[in-house]
Amino acid sequence: MEPIGEPLRSTTSVAEFVSAVCDVMRCHITFVNDCNILHRDISPNNILVFRGADGIARGMLIDLDCAIDIDQEKWEKRKGREKRKEMTGTLPYMSTNNLNGSIIEHTSLDDWESML
């Protein structure tokens, strides 16, 4: 089995890096809007870069171990089974909200903050 991508640090220019991160941001938006999935662990370790036959570098978001089904979270809250807020993610890339132990649940904005 061959690896399907390389680490984000394998990009060879600023333009290639920005393009790969933009791909990951689009992927994240699709996860949230179309699949109701919140990643909750975005870091350079969870971004791969792959090059197609055209040689163009594209970003890919991987590792959904900490991901949650947003619809399931909302349903549990409505039924009175609200979960305790938990810290998730890779420490150096956690959002300020998450690091400060806020009682506000992790949202897609926290994921975006991790990317930036």
Side-chain angles (χ1 to χ4, degrees):
M1 181 182 260
E2 292 183 33
I4 59 170
E6 302 168 344
L8 183 59
R9 68 180 175 274
S10 71
T11 54
T12 58
S13 68
V14 172
E16 199 173 78
F17 175 85
V18 170
S19 178
V21 171
C22 285
D23 289 340
V24 168
M25 292 173 109
R26 280 191 291 273
C27 180
H28 182 266
I29 290 169
T30 301
F31 279 167
V32 172
N33 293 339
D34 297 348
C35 306
N36 296 310
I37 294 172
L38 189 59
H39 191 280
R40 302 191 321 162
D41 187 19
I42 296 180
S43 74
N45 297 330
N46 292 333
I47 298 173
L48 288 181
V49 175
F50 68 97
R51 288 173 174 71
D54 57 7
I56 296 174
R58 292 182 175 82
M60 180 172 33
L61 186 57
I62 62 166
D63 190 4
L64 295 164
D65 292 349
C66 293
I68 58 168
D69 180 336
I70 299 169
D71 282 346
Q72 182 67 24
E73 281 287 305
K74 290 177 184 174
W75 183 84
E76 287 177 359
K77 284 180 183 178
R78 273 186 258 128
K79 296 293 184 183
R81 292 184 271 192
E82 190 166 341
K83 293 183 178 178
R84 177 176 72 80
K85 178 161 175 13
E86 56 187 336
M87 283 183 58
T88 58
T90 303
L91 191 58
Y93 304 98
M94 286 181 181
S95 69
T96 306
N97 177 43
N98 207 357
L99 286 171
N100 288 334
S102 172
I103 59 169
I104 300 169
E105 286 296 321
H106 193 113
T107 68
S108 59
L109 294 178
D110 292 294
D111 278 358
W112 277 62
E113 186 178 332
S114 296
M115 275 190 263
L116 302 174

